[in-house]
Amino acid sequence: MEIRMNWEQLLSTETQVKREVEPEDFAKYPMDDLEKDYKAIISSAAFRRLQDKTQVFPLDKSDFVRTRLTHSLEVSTIARQLGIMITRNATGYLPDDFKNKDGKDKLVEKIPEVLSCAGLLHDLGNPPFGHFGEVVIGDWFKNEFQKEEFCYKKIAIRELLTEQMQSDLKNFEGNAQALRILSKIRNKGKSHEINLTTGVIGALIKYPTDSLHVTNKKDPDIRRHKLGYYLAEQETFEKVSKETGTWIDEKNVARHPLTFLMEAADDIAYSTADLEDALKKKMFSLKEFIAYFKGNLEDDEKAQLLIKDLERRLENVQDEESEMIAFQNWMDYARGWFMYCVTYSFSRNYKSIMNGEFQRELIQGTFHEKSMKIFKNAMVEFVYEQPEIVKLELSAKKIISTLLDDFIYAVIYMDETEEEYKNHQFQKKLCSLIPDNLKADYEKAKTNDEGYNLYLRMLMITDFISGMTDSYAKNLYQELNAY
């Protein structure tokens, strides 16, 4: 069978805006395009803000609990390791021109670098307070669009915005927001924006689907589980898809093959590391965890062997510190098996992946699929419904919802010149707090379409709020409400 996608396109080093020409002397100590990508990501403000964004525990004061930044570094490391394992594999499933047996500089040797960059970027668009923040933003718009008073010049806003514009806002998604952040370079073309290669951006797009064609997590086609881009970034999405060769037609865009590995790295990182953080916070004991694991085995042989290995490591443990070390070492062991299964699956399904036909997670169908499922479900069992987490999430909902109440209503008439509709003094002051770079983005993107411009102003506020750190959002909320 002829393979549809090719690595020359998939690893494209084209950038959205042409990079600045470097002095000739720099050629003596060259950096390739992907090394420049990595440097640009690490140096960006959007990436630095991840250090004060929640992974699982909102507004947590502990210094050992993972943040989005430390999680992203872990995902980047695992993704890079998966790339190395793929390019060095000896399974016999991959074509000879893919594998790097002779150590020569081949195109596919760039795969670990691309995955490393994609791992750093994968949570770039996440709002404060973790994935719960995404839900709060989407639910706020779902609620407001039903109200007659959510209007523009006495016309309900839902009547001015197209179905896709409304759907974008009602289904706010961190993955689509990450692409939006990376697309801003096209509006301004300034060097301080993140100007990345299309190969890296393509690997980042987990869901090559707009908001009108999202189904649900039960859909066997993983591409449809969430939206991957907003209407405002459709041009960027199409450009990246065509340059990387994932574009099939207007109704069908394949996933970039490396997206499967990046997603697997994310799953491996959070399903193991988050449990480790929860154990440190004493949300469960190892005795409870082992009992839960065994209660959900369903006679799975490999999962049985995995939990027996933990029990073996705990046989002579006498204190909590040694117990934690044993658990951490076991987590490393489990991660190794998950990575092995993922690389095997990628190799075994290589042709299907490269033809855009593979539709599921790589861990599915491997002999540690059940183990991974138990790890993920253990977080639901022991962590997500704990009163400590619930209270913090309710606080987060109050903060984000109140900020949306203030700023969305303030920008509805931000551009208005008619006296009847012009902003009052309080709304003008709120608008003055919106960062100048976001206002400049809006000015560059706006058109003569009143409804589209209204949509862009709302995106400007979701940009503002989703870009906030946990601490900044909390402090701004307190300052505006005189706490």
Side-chain angles (χ1 to χ4, degrees), residues 249-313:
D249 55 51
E250 290 185 359
K251 296 183 179 179
N252 193 13
V253 179
R255 252 190 174 190
H256 192 295
L258 297 186
T259 305
F260 291 97
L261 293 168
M262 188 270 291
E263 180 180 48
D266 186 21
D267 284 349
I268 292 168
Y270 86 74
S271 67
T272 54
D274 292 351
L275 272 174
E276 182 185 325
D277 284 352
L279 180 62
K280 286 179 180 177
K281 291 177 69 64
K282 301 186 186 303
M283 291 187 160
F284 61 90
S285 68
L286 279 185
K287 184 178 179 181
E288 290 173 319
F289 175 75
I290 291 170
Y292 175 79
F293 201 109
K294 286 184 171 182
N296 290 274
L297 287 174
E298 298 175 2
D299 297 323
D300 188 286
E301 181 183 349
K302 295 299 182 180
Q304 287 174 358
L305 291 173
L306 192 61
I307 197 64
K308 284 179 181 178
D309 187 83
L310 175 58
E311 290 180 305
R312 178 187 61 79
R313 293 169 189 267

Side-chain angles (χ1 to χ4, degrees), residues 261-461:
L261 293 168
M262 188 270 291
E263 180 180 48
D266 186 21
D267 284 349
I268 292 168
Y270 86 74
S271 67
T272 54
D274 292 351
L275 272 174
E276 182 185 325
D277 284 352
L279 180 62
K280 286 179 180 177
K281 291 177 69 64
K282 301 186 186 303
M283 291 187 160
F284 61 90
S285 68
L286 279 185
K287 184 178 179 181
E288 290 173 319
F289 175 75
I290 291 170
Y292 175 79
F293 201 109
K294 286 184 171 182
N296 290 274
L297 287 174
E298 298 175 2
D299 297 323
D300 188 286
E301 181 183 349
K302 295 299 182 180
Q304 287 174 358
L305 291 173
L306 192 61
I307 197 64
K308 284 179 181 178
D309 187 83
L310 175 58
E311 290 180 305
R312 178 187 61 79
R313 293 169 189 267
L314 294 170
E315 282 176 0
N316 299 312
V317 168
Q318 301 296 327
D319 56 73
E320 283 188 7
E321 183 179 355
S322 298
E323 189 179 76
M324 176 57 72
I325 291 171
F327 186 69
Q328 290 172 323
N329 289 336
W330 180 71
M331 282 293 189
D332 285 338
Y333 177 72
R335 273 191 286 269
W337 273 115
F338 291 150
M339 291 169 69
Y340 174 88
C341 289
V342 163
T343 50
Y344 170 82
S345 180
F346 185 90
S347 304
R348 186 70 179 84
N349 296 290
Y350 181 75
K351 286 187 178 179
S352 177
I353 291 169
M354 293 295 286
N355 280 316
E357 298 165 353
F358 192 76
Q359 297 181 339
R360 62 180 189 270
E361 295 178 356
L362 288 173
I363 197 71
Q364 287 181 250
T366 68
F367 53 58
H368 270 300
E369 177 184 358
K370 184 64 181 178
S371 302
M372 174 68 83
K373 184 177 180 180
I374 295 173
F375 271 56
K376 291 181 178 180
N377 289 343
M379 286 297 293
V380 178
E381 176 73 15
F382 296 117
V383 181
Y384 296 145
E385 298 304 319
Q386 289 271 4
E388 174 186 347
I389 298 296
V390 172
K391 288 177 184 177
L392 290 170
E393 287 183 338
L394 291 173
S395 296
K397 181 180 187 302
K398 182 69 172 177
I399 291 168
I400 293 178
S401 296
T402 303
L403 292 175
L404 287 166
D405 286 340
D406 287 342
F407 284 99
I408 290 291
Y409 277 90
V411 298
I412 288 176
Y413 294 110
M414 188 180 78
D415 289 347
E416 194 52 57
T417 55
E418 289 183 42
E419 199 62 38
E420 181 182 357
Y421 298 109
K422 285 172 67 174
N423 271 347
H424 300 302
Q425 195 66 22
F426 175 67
Q427 293 166 324
K428 289 179 181 178
K429 289 183 181 295
L430 284 169
C431 289
S432 72
L433 296 177
I434 301 169
D436 290 341
N437 65 311
L438 297 183
K439 293 176 184 175
D441 290 337
Y442 166 67
E443 291 297 329
K444 287 279 186 178
K446 74 178 184 179
T447 65
N448 293 323
D449 185 327
E450 213 166 50
Y452 186 72
N453 291 343
L454 190 55
Y455 161 74
L456 289 178
R457 291 201 293 279
M458 292 180 183
L459 284 179
M460 177 174 64
I461 298 307

